[in-house]
Amino acid sequence: MTAYTVRAALAALVAAATLAVAAGPGVPAAAAGAPAAAAGRHEQTRAAMDAAVAGGVPGVLVQAHDAHGTWRAAAGVADLATRRPPLPGDRFRAGSISKTFIATVLLQLAAEGRLSMSDTVEKWLPGTVRGHGHDGREISLRQLLNHTSGIYDYTEDPALHLQGKDYLAHRYDTWEPGQLVAVAMRHKPNFAPGTSWGYGTTAYVLAAMVIERVTGRTYASEAERRIFRPLGLSATGLPGTDTRIPHPSGRMYTRFPDDPGRTVHDITEFNPSWAWSAGEIISSPGDLDRFYAALMRGELLPAAQLKEMTTTVPSPDFGDGQDDGLGIFRATLPCGTEVWGHTGFMPGSQSVAYTTRDGRHRLVVNFNTDWAGDTDAAAYVLLAEFCGTVPPASPGR
């Protein structure tokens, strides 16, 4: 799986977790209802990591925090050539987890009275969202953040070359945000604003463009000033057109669906500008853990804005048990535990970051391949940590 399935893959995580417990072969029924406290010493989480590697994932990196403290673990290898293991401080492409950061900055601006979530896109980006039925006068900033705008997802357009192995010839292409939005405007919207729900990328490019219009600074500098520096997130960055991942880091691996030989490609270096604010972020387990803990504890948003962020709408494409807030999802797991967070996909990387609402039990996971998204590996790690579910020996290869 590569970038071409980013949108589809996000829909699978909690649905897979639910199905894995409800009907998955090899999952003991008793484990399905195990309380979250059963994960306190992380034996099941370790088993789920090992099962992912046994199922074909090169490497897994995990950080969890609960009442017992912080636990860090790795399985497999970070580099298929050198066989070095994943390290706790390794950086990786965290993909759509960046959406929580963007929503946080936009809500901070709302708290400062510089904009309102009810503002239209047209107010801040006049004439930008027009064409083939798109109309920024009818779309609010809130609808951008909770995926109810109906705006077409530009990543589904062949112009991005995200559909197969021809991506290799375009991995260093540079895209400007305005170009990405213009690609989306070539298509009809998916639905009228506010009438349905559909996960998409274009909306978060527009959200960052609004940040830049309101502040007069780049969205990256605002994220740095408002979040990265105050929280000490020294391993987190927004690379722009830089093709590299800063050290320390492992390698990232992909396979292409139109390659019958299923060749494994090292895809670590590429230009992430096609994802921009919707997915370019690079981070580490420790930094993402710190971010979500601070967010849920009210360190980044006043109570009113945090309440708005965590006010959800149904996200039917993602199946039962998951709703969408502003840049964050709420998932009710089969054991009854409610967690908040986001998943992220980029070529060669799948990431998961979830926390309980009080921020006391948290989990960050990275797989150094995107083909893990074709399995239930992430779902089993999530279930193992928050529900104590025992994974099968090799989940869903």
Side-chain angles (χ1 to χ4, degrees):
M1 186 192 71
T2 56
Y4 73 99
T5 55
V6 168
R7 182 173 180 271
L10 280 167
L13 180 64
V14 174
T18 302
L19 292 173
V21 171
V27 182
R41 289 186 295 274
H42 314 286
E43 294 93 340
Q44 293 88 351
T45 308
R46 164 60 75 181
M49 295 166 64
D50 291 341
V53 173
V57 173
V60 187
L61 188 58
V62 166
Q63 179 166 321
H65 182 92
D66 62 11
H68 300 277
T70 298
W71 179 77
R72 301 175 181 89
V77 298
D79 187 321
L80 289 172
T82 67
R83 311 303 293 179
R84 94 135 163 99
L87 302 175
D90 275 353
R91 303 177 186 191
F92 49 83
R93 300 188 190 276
S96 287
I97 290 173
S98 64
K99 291 179 171 66
T100 313
F101 287 83
I102 295 304
T104 300
V105 173
L106 210 61
L107 284 162
Q108 287 177 342
L109 292 171
E112 294 163 10
R114 302 175 71 177
L115 57 78
S116 167
M117 288 295 106
S118 298
D119 288 348
T120 66
V121 175
E122 181 73 10
K123 175 177 178 178
W124 295 107
L125 303 172
T128 301
V129 179
R130 296 287 179 88
H132 294 89
H134 288 97
D135 189 346
R137 295 171 297 185
E138 303 297 325
I139 299 169
S140 70
L141 301 185
R142 182 180 294 105
Q143 289 169 336
L144 291 182
L145 297 186
N146 67 14
H147 298 292
T148 60
S149 71
I151 297 173
Y152 182 84
D153 187 341
Y154 67 80
T155 64
E156 297 182 358
D157 190 295
L160 273 292
H161 301 286
L162 302 177
Q163 308 303 317
K165 60 184 179 181
D166 68 331
Y167 179 67
L168 290 173
H170 294 275
R171 65 195 287 183
Y172 299 116
D173 291 355
T174 293
W175 288 86
E176 296 293 335
Q179 292 177 302
L180 299 174
V181 175
V183 168
M185 295 302 105
R186 298 173 190 168
H187 300 265
K188 294 180 180 179
N190 295 324
F191 50 83
T195 64
S196 188
W197 185 91
Y199 186 88
T201 305
T202 313
Y204 274 79
V205 170
L206 289 164
M209 291 171 70
V210 170
I211 290 170
E212 296 192 341
R213 181 63 58 87
V214 172
T215 64
R217 291 182 288 268
T218 67
Y219 100 92
S221 65
E222 285 299 293
E224 175 77 25
R225 184 173 71 87
R226 293 169 174 271
I227 301 175
F228 301 169
R229 284 204 303 267
L231 295 183
L233 306 186
S234 58
T236 302
L238 299 162
T241 60
D242 193 334
T243 63
R244 301 160 298 176
I245 300 177
H247 294 300
S249 65
R251 308 299 295 175
M252 307 292 163
Y253 301 97
T254 193
R255 295 188 295 234
F256 295 100
D258 55 353
D259 177 8
R262 295 176 63 80
T263 303
V264 174
H265 296 272
D266 184 324
I267 200 75
T268 309
E269 288 83 25
F270 63 87
N271 184 334
S273 62
W274 62 264
W276 200 51
S277 57
E280 70 170 320
I281 198 167
I282 291 172
S283 194
S284 70
D287 275 15
L288 291 180
D289 176 76
R290 171 65 179 133
F291 168 67
Y292 278 100
L295 181 63
M296 290 293 100
R297 292 171 178 170
E299 295 177 28
L300 292 171
L301 293 173
Q305 278 67 43
L306 185 56
K307 180 179 180 180
E308 182 151 22
M309 173 179 265
T310 55
T311 298
T312 62
V313 297
S315 52
D317 291 358
F318 282 19
D320 293 338
Q322 187 161 218
D323 296 320
D324 187 13
L326 303 186
I328 196 166
F329 287 92
R330 176 183 65 191
T332 302
L333 300 177
C335 61
T337 299
E338 181 182 280
V339 292
W340 295 80
H342 216 290
T343 58
F345 285 82
M346 285 292 269
S349 180
Q350 178 187 2
S351 303
V352 176
Y354 275 90
T355 174
T356 52
R357 179 61 183 81
D358 59 11
R360 293 180 180 176
H361 192 177
R362 308 183 298 274
L363 173 70
V364 177
V365 184
N366 177 256
F367 300 95
N368 63 344
T369 177
D370 47 42
W371 68 69
D374 294 330
T375 77
D376 294 336
Y380 277 109
V381 176
L382 188 76
L383 286 170
E385 180 60 33
F386 287 109
C387 294
T389 301
V390 178
S394 179
R397 186 175 184 179

